[in-house]
Amino acid sequence: MEKRITELEIKIAYLEDFLNKLQAIAVEQGEVVDTLKAENRVLKAKIKEILDNQEQDIPNRRPPHY
């Protein structure tokens, strides 16, 4: 009985360690996702700015309904 309890305690310790590592990875990935979202917003704004500037440079542009 004592051996069985010891084995269960060892398994629980490994599971706790695994969960802590998994949580650390999840937190790290969440930070990466937040960073990528911020970079994506900046890139979208820059692309929109470039497209808006290009539209002003084209004087004989066809209207959108053509």
Side-chain angles (χ1 to χ4, degrees):
M1 185 71 159
E2 175 100 12
K3 182 180 178 183
R4 189 168 182 206
I5 291 174
T6 304
E7 289 175 359
L8 288 173
E9 288 175 342
I10 292 170
K11 286 183 181 183
I12 289 173
Y14 279 117
L15 286 173
E16 286 176 343
D17 182 54
F18 174 75
L19 285 175
N20 288 335
K21 289 178 182 177
L22 191 61
Q23 182 180 8
I25 290 170
V27 168
E28 181 182 339
Q29 287 180 345
E31 291 170 355
V32 169
V33 167
D34 291 340
T35 301
L36 291 172
K37 284 181 180 180
E39 289 175 0
N40 189 29
R41 281 192 295 272
V42 169
L43 289 173
K44 280 183 180 180
K46 286 187 185 253
I47 290 172
K48 184 179 182 325
E49 181 183 327
I50 289 170
L51 290 176
D52 289 345
N53 287 339
Q54 283 181 347
E55 287 179 2
Q56 294 172 1
D57 294 341
I58 304 173
N60 295 326
R61 185 167 172 212
R62 292 171 57 184
H65 61 277
Y66 279 104

